[in-house]
Amino acid sequence: MDYPEDPEYTDDDVLQQYLDEEGLALVPVEFMRELMLLMEAHIENVCGIDREELNDVMVRLEDLLGEDGMMDLSIDGIIDWVNTLKQA
């Protein structure tokens, strides 16, 4: 996914574009944003890392798998990868 570099383009715009591209245009952005925050908190708790560490690991994971590969992961798959990469 490529997103405009326009400073007026917000995180919600990015999320809406993702939902549109994935055929999920009827899912409210607010719901998806909250779901993503809950998933992030769950991963942090299960893996025993803070948000900054999780962000670092997710950047490394995207470098390894690519954006499409990351989109194919389940929450359990993400947790397995985070646990593996946090020790590397």
Side-chain angles (χ1 to χ4, degrees):
M1 273 182 282
D2 292 323
Y3 302 106
E5 296 296 325
D6 182 354
E8 304 267 328
Y9 203 70
T10 67
D11 289 341
D12 282 352
D13 294 328
V14 171
L15 187 52
Q16 185 63 58
Q17 183 175 340
Y18 165 76
L19 292 171
D20 292 344
E21 288 173 359
E22 296 298 318
L24 301 170
L26 296 178
V27 175
V29 170
E30 297 81 16
F31 172 80
M32 192 63 165
R33 186 181 332 111
E34 291 296 319
L35 180 61
M36 291 171 63
L37 288 173
L38 288 171
M39 288 174 41
E40 212 174 84
H42 176 69
I43 293 167
E44 290 168 6
N45 287 331
V46 169
C47 296
I49 60 176
D50 62 28
R51 175 171 269 175
E52 185 175 322
E53 290 172 303
L54 178 59
N55 287 338
D56 291 343
V57 169
M58 294 305 283
V59 167
R60 290 170 49 207
L61 185 57
E62 186 171 2
D63 289 344
L64 286 169
L65 301 179
E67 187 175 315
D68 290 337
M70 285 190 61
M71 297 309 251
D72 292 337
L73 289 175
S74 67
I75 189 81
D76 291 331
I78 293 171
I79 289 169
D80 291 343
W81 272 105
V82 168
N83 281 327
T84 299
L85 292 176
K86 77 177 187 183
Q87 297 171 8

